[in-house]
Amino acid sequence: MSDVNPILSGSAQSIAAYQDAIEQSTQAVVEWLKQPEMYQGKTVEQLRERINLNFTSQGLGNQAAIERAVEYFLKDSLLVHHAQCVAHLHCPSLVISQAAEVLINATNQSMDSWDQSPSATIIEIKLIEWLREQVGYAAGDAGVFTSGGTQSNLMGLMLARDAFFARQGHSIQQDGLTSDLSKIKVFCSESAHFSVQKNMALMGLGYRSVTQVKTDAFSRMDLADLKDKLAQAKANGEQVMAIVATAGTTDAGAIDPLADIAALAAEHQIWMHVDAAWGGALLLSEKYRDFLNGLELADSVTLDFHKQFFQTISCGAFLLKDARHYELMRYQAAYLNSDFDEEAGVPNLVSKSLQTTRRFDALKLWMGLEALGKKQYAVIIDNGVTLAQDVAEFVKTQPHLELVMEPQLASVLFRFRPQSDDMAFVALLNQRIGDVLLASGSANVGVTEADGVTCLKLTLLNPTVCLEDVKVLLASVKATAEQLLKA
Ligand SMILES: Cc1ncc(COP(=O)(O)O)c(C=O)c1O
């Protein structure tokens, strides 16, 4: 079947095959976009049964492979742009981001070296310079695009660790970890993202190296507890290599008091990393930019564009305040970033990244900024934050619903409250509401915990969603709860 050359190239035959394959795929996407159901409601077992690889000796050919992907992947995919799809920090994407993907994929540039991505390298560097300016960092290009928040947080923690040991005359890069690490700590709030724990484990320091600072009623890091825990750490002979502040916690969207934390970090000579994976979107906000005051004081920052910047997955960035810290991860590979290149000033971005081969995801943000402009980008970001406030007000008027916390970014935490004070029962009921809604294919509502009790979460990133849509969803929550209570 597939005896024709399958490689994308400039030959007439390849170009025709490319156009056919893209046209067929685009048509399928257009049909999928119009699907009314958020999800066709298949269970884990049903999908496992249905989906099987068909790797034949002759190959099926492009057309049949695409048809099978439409049948087994596309049709049963979640419609992330659907008004009732509000569970996670998982955004619908910009049309321009889709166009950027076509260019990124077809050109297949790799960001590790200049000779694999010349124009792309310059675009990424210029975008990093621009992002630094938005954060309030000094002019420079220390930073890199990443696969997302987890990797950016890893870079921040790794450089914090290596800078900490370098100050003591020890090079982790050369000599590895020292034998007793039990006194090395990282501080973050109880609501910080779990990638702090995972990254510390990955870095050889274990979950136990993470000290969780208490949070206030709004899930923000409690400064008094931070001070107490810093004093306690000192008394215990512990050494704090980094404080990770969060600008936009995953559930509550809480922004830690950045400037106050920065002052404490400076006083104790501790690296401060800000995980602004979500809240970083406010860099483009017209109404809420001041929520990020103090971000410029951080030693390093995580930004994530596949959240409220509406870029396709994956697209994130890591920014480093002082470029000299990049020395801590310096590695020269003769075939990529040789001395010769460095002396000649050839920018090989492998020096700034944990990855070697790397996608040109920066193009998506670049094209997004150019296509939308400041005004429209601000509108679609601010919309979610304002909508969350409106939804919270509405929730307060509903006797069967309990608002768990006032919203801070674009999320609303709430519970269905039956007439019962048995919190285990309330927790189970809310869990079941989320499960039933997803299984029915009608809605995807987040299920999480606040103060140890299960609650529901609406993550209202989608700028096409309005209060009326959310009221429809809340009515489904109520109807589902009533059915469950009857059963
Ligand atoms: C606050 C925060 N930081 C980091 C991450 C991890 O980001 P990613 O999924 O892009 O690795 C998330 C994911 O939701 C997050 O909410």
Side-chain angles (χ1 to χ4, degrees):
M1 167 82 215
S2 51
D3 54 349
V4 288
N5 180 358
I7 300 292
L8 179 62
S9 75
S11 76
Q13 178 256 336
S14 175
I15 288 171
Y18 173 70
Q19 285 178 318
D20 287 348
I22 296 293
E23 174 65 17
Q24 186 188 346
S25 304
T26 312
Q27 275 310 319
V29 168
V30 167
E31 291 312 312
W32 171 77
L33 286 169
K34 294 190 286 195
Q35 216 170 268
E37 284 281 283
M38 186 208 64
Y39 170 58
Q40 292 197 352
K42 303 270 191 326
T43 63
V44 178
E45 291 74 29
Q46 283 169 312
L47 285 187
R48 234 183 234 290
E49 176 73 27
R50 217 168 105 68
I51 298 175
N52 291 299
L53 178 68
N54 191 0
F55 184 37
T56 59
S57 90
Q58 296 306 310
L60 305 174
N62 292 349
Q63 188 179 342
I66 294 167
E67 279 164 9
R68 279 178 49 80
V70 171
E71 186 58 31
Y72 297 107
F73 161 61
L74 196 63
K75 284 188 180 164
D76 287 335
S77 288
L78 202 74
L79 266 73
V80 288
H81 55 279
H82 196 284
Q84 315 293 336
C85 187
V86 290
H88 298 284
L89 282 167
H90 181 184
C91 63
S93 60
L94 297 174
V95 171
I96 192 71
S97 191
Q98 299 296 333
E101 290 284 12
V102 173
L103 303 181
I104 295 164
N105 294 333
T107 54
N108 207 28
Q109 306 290 284
S110 182
M111 304 309 294
D112 37 343
S113 64
W114 160 261
D115 66 349
Q116 297 179 87
S117 54
S119 51
T121 295
I122 299 301
I123 288 176
E124 175 163 329
I125 291 172
K126 293 213 167 191
L127 203 47
I128 291 287
E129 289 170 346
W130 181 84
L131 286 166
R132 290 177 60 94
E133 211 180 306
Q134 305 312 302
V135 162
Y137 275 178
D141 62 8
V144 74
F145 271 70
T146 65
S147 58
T150 303
Q151 187 187 128
S152 299
N153 285 345
L154 176 60
M155 292 192 76
L157 287 168
M158 192 192 79
L159 292 175
R161 179 196 64 184
D162 295 0
F164 173 84
F165 281 100
R167 283 200 297 276
Q168 304 182 1
H170 179 82
S171 167
I172 294 263
Q173 194 190 26
Q174 291 297 329
D175 302 320
L177 297 169
T178 54
S179 55
D180 183 14
L181 297 164
S182 60
K183 298 277 185 198
I184 307 296
K185 299 286 169 189
V186 161
F187 278 30
C188 63
S189 88
E190 289 170 346
S191 299
H193 191 254
F194 65 81
S195 54
V196 176
Q197 273 85 348
K198 276 183 69 171
N199 287 331
M200 292 307 286
L202 193 66
M203 285 164 39
L205 287 111
Y207 292 170
R208 73 163 181 191
S209 64
V210 181
T211 298
Q212 290 185 314
V213 178
K214 285 187 196 150
T215 49
D216 65 12
F218 292 96
S219 276
R220 296 173 301 205
M221 191 185 283
D222 181 307
L223 277 179
D225 193 52
L226 174 61
K227 282 184 199 159
D228 285 353
K229 288 209 160 91
L230 283 170
Q232 192 61 53
K234 201 169 176 186
N236 294 342
E238 293 169 354
Q239 293 176 302
V240 184
M241 60 163 243
I243 302 175
V244 178
T246 311
T249 58
T250 312
D251 286 338
I255 300 180
D256 290 338
L258 302 179
D260 293 329
I261 295 171
L264 277 171
E267 186 188 322
H268 293 265
Q269 292 185 306
I270 300 171
W271 184 290
M272 178 187 177
H273 175 76
V274 178
D275 176 356
W278 183 9
L282 299 186
L283 289 172
L284 300 191
S285 166
E286 273 188 352
K287 293 186 189 161
Y288 308 108
R289 170 63 180 86
D290 61 331
F291 286 12
L292 295 178
N293 287 351
L295 184 63
E296 70 285 358
L297 303 169
D299 293 291
S300 52
V301 172
T302 287
L303 297 173
D304 222 350
F305 309 109
H306 55 220
K307 294 192 167 53
Q308 214 171 348
F309 284 88
F310 307 101
Q311 297 298 340
T312 53
I313 300 165
S314 57
C315 195
F318 169 73
L319 301 181
L320 181 63
K321 186 181 205 168
D322 183 345
R324 284 172 300 184
H325 286 121
Y326 257 137
E327 284 300 310
L328 295 163
M329 55 179 278
R330 184 181 179 79
Y331 190 94
Q332 278 180 289
Y335 77 103
L336 285 178
N337 56 343
S338 64
D339 273 339
F340 185 82
D341 266 9
E342 297 234 326
E343 275 160 32
V346 177
N348 294 306
L349 294 182
V350 70
S351 313
K352 295 179 172 178
S353 176
L354 295 180
Q355 291 173 249
T356 307
T357 301
R358 186 163 58 83
R359 284 169 54 83
F360 179 33
D361 290 313
L363 184 65
K364 295 183 280 195
L365 181 63
W366 180 275
M367 289 171 67
L369 293 168
E370 290 198 348
L372 272 68
K374 291 181 190 167
K375 194 93 203 151
Q376 200 179 7
Y377 232 133
V379 166
I380 61 170
I381 289 166
D382 288 348
N383 179 83
V385 184
T386 307
L387 177 62
Q389 294 161 5
D390 295 344
V391 169
E393 290 311 310
F394 176 74
V395 166
K396 286 182 204 166
T397 66
Q398 302 299 297
H400 54 282
L401 298 179
E402 171 198 0
L403 184 69
V404 169
M405 196 185 292
E406 287 293 337
Q408 296 163 81
L409 288 182
S411 67
V412 180
L413 296 173
F414 71 104
R415 282 190 193 96
F416 184 87
R417 280 307 296 262
Q419 282 172 339
S420 167
D421 288 330
D422 176 352
M423 291 316 280
F425 172 70
V426 173
L428 185 62
L429 177 64
N430 280 276
Q431 176 70 54
R432 297 275 294 119
I433 293 170
D435 294 347
V436 169
L437 283 172
L438 181 61
S440 74
S442 65
N444 195 11
V445 177
V447 181
T448 187
E449 278 184 9
D451 289 330
V453 182
T454 304
C455 67
L456 300 175
K457 173 173 77 164
L458 308 178
T459 311
L460 301 167
L461 303 183
N462 189 339
T464 67
V465 170
C466 63
L467 184 57
E468 288 313 307
D469 296 316
V470 182
K471 285 183 180 172
V472 170
L473 176 51
L474 293 174
S476 310
V477 166
K478 182 169 182 244
T480 307
E482 285 167 355
Q483 265 172 22
L484 286 167
L485 286 170
K486 252 192 249 153

